[in-house]
Amino acid sequence: MIKLYVNTFKGFEEIDEEKLKEYKGKYVIWFDLFNPTEEEIEFLRKQTGFSMPPKEILGDIEISSKYIEDKDYLEVTLSFVIPQKEEILVEPVVFYIKEKFFVTVRYRDIPSIMIFKNRTNFQRKFFQFPESLFAEILGIEVDRIGDRLELLGNKIKDIWRQMFVEQSEEMIRELAFYDELNITLRESINEKIRIITKALKSPLINAHTKKELRIIYEDLTTLLEYTSFYMEKIDSIQNSLLGLITIRQNEAVKVFTVLATIFLPATLIASIFGMNFKHMPELHWKYGYPYSLFLMVFVTLVLLFWVRRKGWL
């Protein structure tokens, strides 16, 4: 599906192919492609000259190929992190900037792009240059990364408080998920820092947009420090949690070991008196049975008293 928007002083107005000629060269025109067909890709190529890379390689593009600059266009591939309940999605989006054209190619709903469109229409924003749209979407995504990191920090604090009350496998799985989320966000931040560093040197980007990109760059460097802190915090909690679980398991093993030791003499006595040899004098003794029971109980109580006095139980 392909949608065409023209950016006027009223925000974005969706247009058809016939009106495209009317606004072409006058206003910024946004080509938003969602899971495009070959016909739509060909239409885009004829209008803007953009040749889209195959979908299969979008997620595997090396960082050096995520920013392509030519004489009259920029092509940028950005990764957008979409955390879900049990998995973390990293969705690539291709941005193409040329003259008054702004192109986005995506295969999933990207919250930052939807927020950008709704916010622009609500505030009736007007963009003179297509690179300003890119900077605006990037800024929204950086704000969302900051919100995710803030939420991540609160979750880590909750687990830290809870682990002293109880330790469970579920808690370890949650920590592993948050660790993966933190690492994914860190990789996304590093990617954006590298791309912004290159964009700041580009003659195709106007001075006002570069100023916005510098602010975004500073925000990203701050967020990068948070990911380093959370990485160390998660690692510390994981070690502490595993240590507490080990202590709890050792205590359980110690209790069973002590109990087995206490009842071992009684088992030995029962085994001795249970041997049916012909010349065992106790077999014909009138008080042999109560004597053996008394001996087992007495030895067990003595060992139990000794173990409790040592503080082992």
Side-chain angles (χ1 to χ4, degrees):
M1 180 177 63
I2 182 170
K3 288 188 177 182
L4 306 179
Y5 300 98
V6 60
N7 178 235
T8 63
F9 293 98
K10 296 181 180 180
F12 285 117
E13 176 188 346
E14 188 172 352
I15 60 174
D16 53 23
E17 296 180 17
E18 295 181 359
K19 284 192 174 183
L20 179 61
K21 296 179 181 179
E22 179 182 342
Y23 292 107
K24 193 173 182 180
K26 300 178 182 178
Y27 297 98
V28 174
I29 298 175
W30 176 15
F31 294 78
D32 185 26
L33 280 75
F34 180 82
N35 201 13
T37 63
E38 293 184 2
E39 291 78 9
E40 291 170 341
I41 293 174
E42 179 61 22
F43 168 76
L44 178 66
R45 188 190 65 79
K46 290 180 179 179
Q47 296 296 327
T48 66
F50 173 53
S51 298
M52 198 192 78
K55 176 185 176 182
E56 293 76 16
I57 70 168
L58 280 183
D60 300 325
I61 296 178
E62 297 180 358
I63 188 65
S64 58
S65 301
K66 289 189 174 184
Y67 181 92
I68 300 174
E69 181 177 342
D70 208 334
K71 294 180 180 179
D72 60 346
Y73 74 85
L74 289 176
E75 182 182 330
V76 179
T77 303
L78 277 184
S79 299
F80 289 77
V81 180
I82 308 175
Q84 294 187 344
K85 188 175 181 180
E86 296 182 353
E87 62 177 339
I88 302 167
L89 300 177
V90 180
E91 189 67 20
V93 177
V94 180
F95 295 88
Y96 181 76
I97 300 167
K98 181 180 180 181
E99 298 171 352
K100 287 285 187 177
F101 295 129
F102 179 70
V103 178
T104 55
V105 183
R106 54 196 175 91
Y107 292 88
R108 187 183 295 272
D109 287 330
I110 306 298
S112 295
I113 294 179
M114 306 306 295
I115 292 171
F116 162 70
K117 184 172 69 173
N118 294 333
R119 183 181 297 177
T120 300
N121 289 338
F122 178 76
Q123 298 177 353
R124 296 179 179 272
K125 279 191 173 183
F126 174 73
F127 298 97
Q128 187 176 358
F129 305 101
E131 58 266 30
S132 298
L133 279 73
F134 171 74
E136 190 79 10
I137 294 174
L138 184 57
I140 292 172
E141 177 63 13
V142 171
D143 289 340
R144 286 177 56 81
I145 291 176
D147 293 339
R148 294 189 195 106
L149 286 174
E150 183 178 359
L151 180 62
L152 178 61
N154 293 332
K155 293 290 186 180
I156 293 173
K157 289 179 182 178
D158 292 340
I159 292 178
W160 182 79
R161 297 189 189 99
Q162 188 180 357
M163 77 173 180
F164 293 104
V165 179
E166 63 172 346
Q167 303 84 39
S168 62
E169 293 183 4
E170 181 64 27
M171 198 175 293
I172 296 177
R173 282 195 290 268
E174 284 185 23
L175 269 178
F177 175 81
Y178 295 139
D179 188 32
E180 182 183 357
L181 176 59
N182 185 60
I183 292 173
T184 305
L185 290 174
R186 183 179 176 84
E187 291 173 350
S188 178
I189 291 171
N190 277 321
E191 172 201 69
K192 290 168 179 57
I193 286 176
R194 294 178 183 178
I195 288 175
I196 290 176
T197 301
K198 293 183 178 180
L200 289 173
K201 301 175 184 178
S202 173
L204 299 178
I205 296 180
N206 64 82
H208 178 72
T209 302
K210 285 184 178 180
K211 184 178 179 181
E212 293 180 352
L213 290 176
R214 288 190 186 96
I215 296 173
I216 295 173
Y217 180 89
E218 293 174 359
D219 292 340
L220 286 170
T221 54
T222 302
L223 294 177
L224 193 62
E225 294 177 1
Y226 275 98
T227 61
S228 299
F229 171 74
Y230 290 148
M231 191 178 297
E232 295 175 0
K233 188 73 173 178
I234 291 173
D235 187 55
S236 175
I237 293 176
Q238 283 178 331
N239 292 333
S240 300
L241 183 59
L242 291 174
L244 290 171
I245 292 175
T246 301
I247 292 173
R248 189 183 65 179
Q249 290 176 341
N250 288 341
E251 289 177 351
V253 172
K254 182 178 72 174
V255 170
F256 285 114
T257 302
V258 170
L259 290 175
T261 303
I262 290 173
F263 289 103
L264 184 61
T267 305
L268 177 62
I269 294 170
S271 300
I272 293 173
F273 283 97
M275 294 187 294
N276 297 321
F277 290 112
K278 184 177 181 181
H279 297 290
M280 285 185 68
E282 291 87 354
L283 290 177
H284 304 287
W285 186 25
K286 180 178 179 181
Y287 301 103
Y289 177 69
Y291 170 75
S292 64
L293 291 180
F294 169 77
L295 188 59
M296 284 187 284
V297 172
F298 175 75
V299 172
T300 301
L301 290 176
V302 169
L303 284 174
L304 184 61
F305 174 77
W306 181 68
V307 166
R308 288 182 65 87
R309 191 171 182 180
K310 289 284 187 180
W312 294 349
L313 189 62

